[in-house]
Amino acid sequence: MAWPYPFWIAHRGAGKQAPENTLAAFRVGRAAGFRGFECDVQLSADGVPFLLHDDTLERTTNGAGLACALEWAALQRLDAGSWLAPAFAGEPPASLAVLAEQAAAGDLALNLELKPSPGQAERVGAGVARWLRAHWQAPCQPLLSSFEPEALRAAHAADAGWPLALLLEHWQDDAPRQALALHACAVVCHHASLDAAAIAALHAQGLKALSYTVNEAAEVQRLRAAGIDGLITDQLDLLAP
């Protein structure tokens, strides 16, 4: 497929400038000039896809316990903004449905990281893929990424129409083989372990190379020179053509 995603991707909506994975974060990121966004997606107990990074609710909401154990009716009543700053008090968790509406209206490009709790990989991968087929209307298909190969396999088995990316904490020489076996079109790797040779190895197999979370200008320059295809960043002021 032709690569439709912008080079710059805002991490969890707006890096650290707004409560991560909330609609407020996407508003801040868009105001800073971003069109590409990364966010974390999991499923509520009743199968509603929503945005949250952690398995549990304590760090970024006023809730407690495993998020996947609660139904969306309870999750959407939580405060997901006060933990960062009083100005965001009352900001609720975001559903993928509302984000999908914004993507359709604003032509956003999304990297949806499948973020299953333990034992939930197949359910989340398949559930998100099926939900997207029923509801996604934006012109740019979301890129589904995950550290969990099982989630990517389940997404592909449920609906092979969505582009996939394998997430890695560290570069591995067999990363291209792993990605192709999962039907992925890209590998997203922590920036510190990526170099020109690794990026060239991906390109040689027709795969794109992306990196997270790149917050220093010198590292941006290094990875650009090495041929990187996209950068995920917390630093909204790094945005450049």
Side-chain angles (χ1 to χ4, degrees), residues 9-43:
I9 303 166
H11 189 220
R12 302 181 192 172
K16 299 177 181 178
Q17 306 306 308
E20 64 184 60
N21 287 316
T22 65
L23 296 183
F26 286 87
R27 290 193 295 271
V28 171
R30 290 180 69 183
F34 281 79
R35 180 179 156 264
F37 296 92
E38 183 268 357
C39 58
D40 304 288
V41 179
Q42 52 181 291
L43 295 181

Side-chain angles (χ1 to χ4, degrees), residues 19-108:
E20 64 184 60
N21 287 316
T22 65
L23 296 183
F26 286 87
R27 290 193 295 271
V28 171
R30 290 180 69 183
F34 281 79
R35 180 179 156 264
F37 296 92
E38 183 268 357
C39 58
D40 304 288
V41 179
Q42 52 181 291
L43 295 181
S44 66
D46 51 341
V48 177
F50 71 100
L51 276 53
L52 189 76
H53 176 273
D54 298 2
D55 295 336
T56 56
L57 294 161
E58 284 85 349
R59 182 176 67 87
T60 59
T61 80
N62 62 340
L66 276 174
C68 65
L70 296 180
E71 295 189 349
W72 176 241
L75 289 165
Q76 65 183 332
R77 292 196 295 267
L78 297 176
D79 179 347
S82 292
W83 67 275
L84 184 67
F88 297 107
E91 180 72 26
S95 69
L96 183 56
V98 175
L99 183 58
E101 291 175 1
Q102 294 202 357
D107 191 18
L108 305 182

Side-chain angles (χ1 to χ4, degrees), residues 144-158:
L144 307 186
S145 65
S146 188
F147 288 102
E148 301 284 346
E150 185 180 351
L152 295 176
R153 281 192 289 267
H156 181 80

Side-chain angles (χ1 to χ4, degrees), residues 122-135:
E122 183 176 356
R123 176 175 178 262
V124 169
V128 170
R130 292 190 184 112
W131 186 94
L132 289 169
R133 180 57 58 203
H135 300 285

